[in-house]
């Protein structure tokens, strides 16, 4: 890839799991009352048709991975499991009390933190408690994130028996120097054990998360990690760019400094090499950072234009409403976003007061909804169109000017009052989305908020 393009487009930018992005939420006009109203509207429109998605955040980890920017609590005290599950089930009850009908769950995902920090018995109690107050869609999908070092066969079997069919394991990189730097010592044998156990039990989609651009990482190490991954042939692979955001509160990215990170050129070379090796192994690129075998549902969703993206990443199970449970979880009604408080003690206090523990959010304007659709189109399908008056935004002329420059650089093509991102431009999809991000264009951040796009 041309170094001049990397130098030009390697800027700080959002990953667009939502629009508006969290730093641009309007907290001043937001309230819990408005969030409930937006959720009720969405629930009324979509629950009987498609159902809802449910995300459950389990924040506990026994050790700190220094590459991680997620909300977590480091502890080895497993007595924290029971009170946390009690609180999550109480929060779910608070939502069920305000919803005008029995929720129909289409998608449920457990993330973290480390979900497999919890015992299989407690995970079973959690899921059974959730399902006691809900129905299931005919085509429901349950998934969870597993840490290969502590995901037991009992974890896998218990969750499979409850309806889970998909699991993703965090691999990151198999090189010992890199693992020590990010404090994630994880032998290949542990990943192999967990992967093979999941396949034997009957999981239909097994994913591995791999990261490029980590401290001390080289192209040879990326190649070795993918070579080992090919021995196991997971159904899908998330090949993420490391997001270096050490300024975030509670972030553990302080075990190394920027001098230990690959340069922008080297990082992009790692991506191009990894992409080529994955393609040779039979994986097809799906959206941004994701690869899947032809037999995986994510690839099938891409082929029939049903790929969707939300705070849980790419999914083939689109729902209009997504409720997030647990500390720091984000919910999405399509018309609004809300985020739970980040502190566990504050979360417990609000739950005890029978208050849904939301502390900030955003209600989308008409303009927000239009831009959101364009960005979703680009992230999922690499194209968007504004021929429909309903998708016209006032600042379209300014957007087109930015896109014309990208056309000159070979990143996009204009087609019938719209654009299509070229093969050359797909690694720069975040930059193309930024051209549509009118909030970002109107007010550039005074401090660095986002990771680099390359």
């Amino acid at each position: 890839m041309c170094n001049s393009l990397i130098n030009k487009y390697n800027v700080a930018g959002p990953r667009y799991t939502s629009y508006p992005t969290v730093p641009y939420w309007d907290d001043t006009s937001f309230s819990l009352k408005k969030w409930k109203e937006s959720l009720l509207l969405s629930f009324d429109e979509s629950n009987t048709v498609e159902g809802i998605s449910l995300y459950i955040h389990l924040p506990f980890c026994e050790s700190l991975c220094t590459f991680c920017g997620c909300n977590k609590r480091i502890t080895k005290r497993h007595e924290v499991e029971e009170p946390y599950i009690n609180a999550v089930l109480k929060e779910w009850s608070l939502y069920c009390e305000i919803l005008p009908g029995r929720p129909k769950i289409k998608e449920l995902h457990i993330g973290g933190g480390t979900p497999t920090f919890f015992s299989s018995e407690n995970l079973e109690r959690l899921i059974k408690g959730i399902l006691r107050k809900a129905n299931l869609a005919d085509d429901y999908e349950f998934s969870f994130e597993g840490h290969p070092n502590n995901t037991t066969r009992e974890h896998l079997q218990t969750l499979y028996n409850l309806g889970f069919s998909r699991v993703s394991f965090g691999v990151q990189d198999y090189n010992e120097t890199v693992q020590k730097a990010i404090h994630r010592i994880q032998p290949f044998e542990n990943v192999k054990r967990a992967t093979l156990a999941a396949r034997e039990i009957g999981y239909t989609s097994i994913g591995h998360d791999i990261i490029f651009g980590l401290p001390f990482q080289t192209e040879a190490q990326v190649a070795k990690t993918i070579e080992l991954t090919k021995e196991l042939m997971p159904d899908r692979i998330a090949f993420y760019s490391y997001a270096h955001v050490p300024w975030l509160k509670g972030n553990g990215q302080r075990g190394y400094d920027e001098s230990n990170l690959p340069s922008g050129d080297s990082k992009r070379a790692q991506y191009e090499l990894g992409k080529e090796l994955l393609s040779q192994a039979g994986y097809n690129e799906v959206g941004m950072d994701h690869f899947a075998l032809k037999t995986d549902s994510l690839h099938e969703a891409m082929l029939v234009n049903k790929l969707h993206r939300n705070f849980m990443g790419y999914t083939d199970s689109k729902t209009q409403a997504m409720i997030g449970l647990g500390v720091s979880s984000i919910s999405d009604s399509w018309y609004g976003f809300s985020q739970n408080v980040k502190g566990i003690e504050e979360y417990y206090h609000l739950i005890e007061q029978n208050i849904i523990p939301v502390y900030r959010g955003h209600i989308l304007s008409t303009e927000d909804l239009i831009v959101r659709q364009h960005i979703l189109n680009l992230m999922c399908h690499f194209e968007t169109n504004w021929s429909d008056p309903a998708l016209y935004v006032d600042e379209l002329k300014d957007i087109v000017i930015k896109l014309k420059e990208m056309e000159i650089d070979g990143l996009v093509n204009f087609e019938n009052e719209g654009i299509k991102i070229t093969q050359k431009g797909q690694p720069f999809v975040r930059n193309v989305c930024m051209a549509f991000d009118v909030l970002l264009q109107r007010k550039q951040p005074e401090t660095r908020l986002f990771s680099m796009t390359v």
Side-chain angles (χ1 to χ4, degrees):
M1 182 174 291
C2 179
N3 288 344
S4 62
L5 282 182
I6 294 174
N7 294 333
K8 180 177 181 178
Y9 289 104
N10 187 24
V11 297
R15 297 189 67 83
Y16 291 111
T17 48
S18 74
Y19 182 85
T21 56
V22 175
Y24 287 89
W25 285 2
D26 181 8
D27 290 330
T28 58
S29 62
F30 176 82
S31 66
L32 179 57
K33 180 176 181 292
K34 289 182 179 179
W35 160 244
K36 290 179 180 178
E37 289 171 350
S38 79
L39 179 61
L40 291 175
L41 172 61
S42 185
F43 186 84
D44 183 60
E45 290 177 347
S46 64
N47 183 59
T48 57
V49 178
E50 62 186 14
I52 69 169
S53 294
L54 203 60
Y55 171 75
I56 306 172
H57 186 70
L58 304 182
F60 302 107
C61 301
E62 287 196 343
S63 63
L64 177 66
C65 300
T66 56
F67 68 90
C68 178
C70 300
N71 181 275
K72 64 271 181 185
R73 175 70 63 90
I74 307 303
T75 181
K76 293 185 182 296
R77 296 173 53 246
H78 285 264
E79 58 265 33
V80 300
E81 296 181 29
E82 186 172 351
Y84 188 81
I85 287 176
N86 291 341
V88 169
L89 291 176
K90 176 72 176 293
E91 183 186 2
W92 176 233
S93 294
L94 294 175
Y95 270 111
C96 290
E97 287 171 8
I98 67 169
L99 296 175
R102 192 173 173 89
K104 181 171 70 174
I105 297 175
K106 183 176 183 180
E107 183 180 28
L108 185 151
H109 181 73
I110 307 176
T114 304
T116 45
F117 172 96
F118 287 71
S119 70
S120 57
E121 293 82 6
N122 278 329
L123 290 175
E124 180 176 25
R125 186 167 73 88
L126 170 64
I127 299 306
K128 284 185 174 180
I130 295 291
L131 298 182
R132 202 168 290 126
K133 295 179 178 292
N135 297 325
L136 291 177
D138 292 337
D139 54 347
Y140 75 90
E141 181 182 74
F142 291 177
S143 58
F144 76 98
E145 298 165 14
H147 192 319
N149 286 356
N150 64 15
T151 299
T152 65
R153 192 178 187 92
E154 187 178 10
H155 279 123
L156 291 162
Q157 188 68 60
T158 297
L159 291 173
Y160 180 80
N161 293 345
L162 291 166
F164 284 74
S165 60
R166 188 166 70 81
V167 58
S168 61
F169 295 116
V171 172
Q172 324 324 343
D173 186 282
Y174 285 119
N175 180 266
E176 290 184 10
T177 300
V178 175
Q179 288 188 356
K180 288 178 181 177
I182 64 176
H183 202 234
R184 176 84 170 207
I185 308 302
Q186 184 172 271
F188 172 73
E189 289 71 23
N190 290 1
V191 180
K192 181 177 181 179
R193 171 188 51 76
T195 299
L196 295 183
R199 190 166 285 148
E200 290 167 4
I201 287 170
Y203 283 77
T204 55
S205 182
I206 300 168
H208 285 186
D209 294 349
I210 300 172
I211 299 179
F212 64 92
L214 288 166
F216 306 107
Q217 199 175 35
T218 65
E219 290 177 56
Q221 290 162 4
V222 170
K224 181 62 176 178
T225 292
I226 292 176
E227 180 184 338
L228 289 169
T229 300
K230 284 164 55 180
E231 291 186 29
L232 303 177
M233 290 300 289
D235 301 277
R236 61 178 73 168
I237 293 173
F239 189 43
Y240 290 122
S241 167
Y242 165 61
H244 188 61
V245 286
W247 58 85
L248 292 181
K249 183 179 179 181
N251 200 305
Q253 297 174 7
R254 294 181 177 85
Y256 42 87
D257 56 42
E258 296 201 11
S259 67
N260 303 131
L261 300 175
S263 66
D265 291 350
S266 176
K267 187 177 181 183
R268 180 48 56 179
Q270 289 179 13
Y271 170 77
E272 295 295 340
L273 174 63
K275 179 180 176 179
E276 176 62 25
L277 293 174
L278 290 171
S279 176
Q280 292 174 8
Y283 291 93
N284 293 276
E285 192 166 14
V286 178
M288 180 182 77
D289 301 337
H290 285 66
F291 297 79
L293 297 175
K294 290 182 179 180
T295 52
D296 190 77
S297 60
L298 202 63
H299 182 263
E300 294 170 3
M302 180 189 69
L303 293 180
V304 297
N305 231 28
K306 289 186 177 180
L307 195 65
H308 184 58
R309 183 172 172 83
N310 56 28
F311 282 102
M312 295 187 286
Y314 283 105
T315 175
D316 54 273
S317 299
K318 177 187 178 297
T319 64
Q320 183 169 299
M322 183 188 82
I323 295 176
L325 304 176
V327 291
S328 76
S329 287
I330 295 178
S331 298
D332 177 3
S333 69
W334 182 257
Y335 303 111
F337 301 115
S338 71
Q339 183 173 23
N340 282 354
V341 296
K342 296 184 178 182
I344 292 176
E345 290 75 19
E346 184 181 5
Y347 174 74
Y348 286 165
H349 174 73
L350 291 171
I351 293 293
E352 288 170 0
Q353 303 300 312
N354 296 316
I355 299 172
I356 293 176
V358 164
Y359 87 104
R360 67 173 174 178
H362 179 87
I363 302 301
L364 279 75
S365 66
T366 300
E367 178 189 84
D368 291 339
L369 290 167
I370 293 171
V371 175
R372 179 182 192 181
Q373 189 60 61
H374 282 303
I375 288 178
L376 191 61
N377 291 343
L378 291 167
M379 295 298 291
C380 292
H381 313 304
F382 293 123
E383 61 182 305
T384 195
N385 185 285
W386 49 82
S387 59
D388 184 344
L391 289 177
Y392 180 84
V393 61
D394 290 341
E395 297 180 44
L396 185 61
K397 289 183 179 179
D398 295 330
I399 293 171
V400 168
I401 290 172
K402 293 182 176 64
L403 294 173
K404 284 291 185 182
E405 185 175 352
M406 293 182 177
E407 182 185 38
I408 293 171
D409 289 331
L411 306 187
V412 303
N413 289 325
F414 280 81
E415 297 181 357
N416 303 320
E417 293 189 81
I419 59 162
K420 187 169 186 176
I421 300 176
T422 64
Q423 190 79 24
K424 180 181 179 182
Q426 287 182 11
F428 299 99
V429 60
R430 291 166 68 184
N431 301 85
V432 180
C433 290
M434 287 168 68
F436 284 84
D437 190 337
V438 295
L439 295 176
L440 179 65
Q441 303 303 332
R442 288 174 194 154
K443 186 180 179 182
Q444 292 287 332
E446 296 178 0
T447 58
R448 187 170 161 190
L449 300 175
F450 307 108
S451 62
M452 303 300 282
T453 57
V454 176

